[in-house]
């Protein structure tokens, strides 16, 4: 386990969250476009498209480094195109990131920094 793999998962998690937020904002802008004179869809669509391309690139990088089976990247991709499911994917990725960071530092995932037992022992 190495730090580069943990970093790849972290980058993927962060862009996953930002992409999910941009998707929800784009959906809200689409509703506003149809109900009011406000039309931010062209700008927000371009921003979301850029973030989605980054999401796909970081997904491929994380998949390459972690050696996930095909099911995991497919799950993350499907979750990215379902409204609000990107937030669930981010939570899954946070747990994944914690496991990789802990492994990179030679610890068990439950011994990661922030664990209450470790703070009590260290105090």
């Amino acid at each position: 386990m190495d730090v580069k793999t943990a970093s790849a998962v972290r980058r993927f998690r962060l862009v996953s969250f930002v992409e999910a937020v941009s998707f929800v904002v784009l959906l809200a802008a689409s509703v506003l476009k149809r109900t009011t004179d406000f039309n931010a869809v062209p700008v927000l669509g371009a921003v979301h498209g850029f973030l989605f391309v980054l999401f796909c690139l970081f997904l491929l990088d994380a998949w390459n480094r972690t050696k996930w089976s095909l099911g995991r990247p497919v799950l993350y991709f499907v979750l990215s195109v379902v409204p609000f499911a990107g937030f669930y994917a981010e939570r899954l990725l946070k747990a994944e990131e914690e496991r990789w960071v802990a492994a990179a530092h030679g610890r068990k995932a439950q011994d990661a920094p922030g664990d209450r037992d470790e703070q009590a022992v260290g105090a």
Side-chain angles (χ1 to χ4, degrees):
M1 314 302 163
D2 62 357
V3 175
K4 289 183 180 183
T5 303
S7 295
V9 173
R10 179 175 176 80
R11 279 190 308 269
F12 178 53
R13 180 179 71 87
L14 293 175
V15 79
S16 173
F17 179 76
V18 174
E19 189 271 339
V21 169
S22 74
F23 188 28
V24 171
V25 171
L26 180 60
L27 290 174
S30 297
V31 170
L32 288 174
K33 176 184 175 182
R34 306 238 181 325
T35 59
T36 67
D37 292 333
F38 182 74
N39 185 12
V41 172
V43 173
L44 293 175
V47 169
H48 175 70
F50 175 75
L51 290 171
F52 187 73
V53 169
L54 280 180
F55 173 88
C56 291
L57 291 174
F58 288 167
L59 171 62
L60 291 174
D61 182 43
W63 184 18
N64 182 45
R65 291 184 185 275
T66 59
K67 308 299 185 211
W68 288 326
S69 65
L70 180 62
R72 172 115 3 146
V74 168
L75 172 68
Y76 289 136
F77 184 81
V78 168
L79 290 175
S80 75
V81 296
V82 175
F84 299 101
F87 298 109
Y88 175 69
E90 191 272 336
R91 293 190 75 200
L92 293 175
L93 284 165
K94 185 175 182 181
E96 182 78 20
E97 175 193 352
E98 289 172 355
R99 284 193 298 273
W100 282 100
V101 168
H105 293 290
R107 300 187 300 256
K108 293 180 185 176
Q110 63 264 25
D111 294 336
D115 188 42
R116 293 177 190 207
D117 295 334
E118 184 179 61
Q119 289 175 355
V121 171

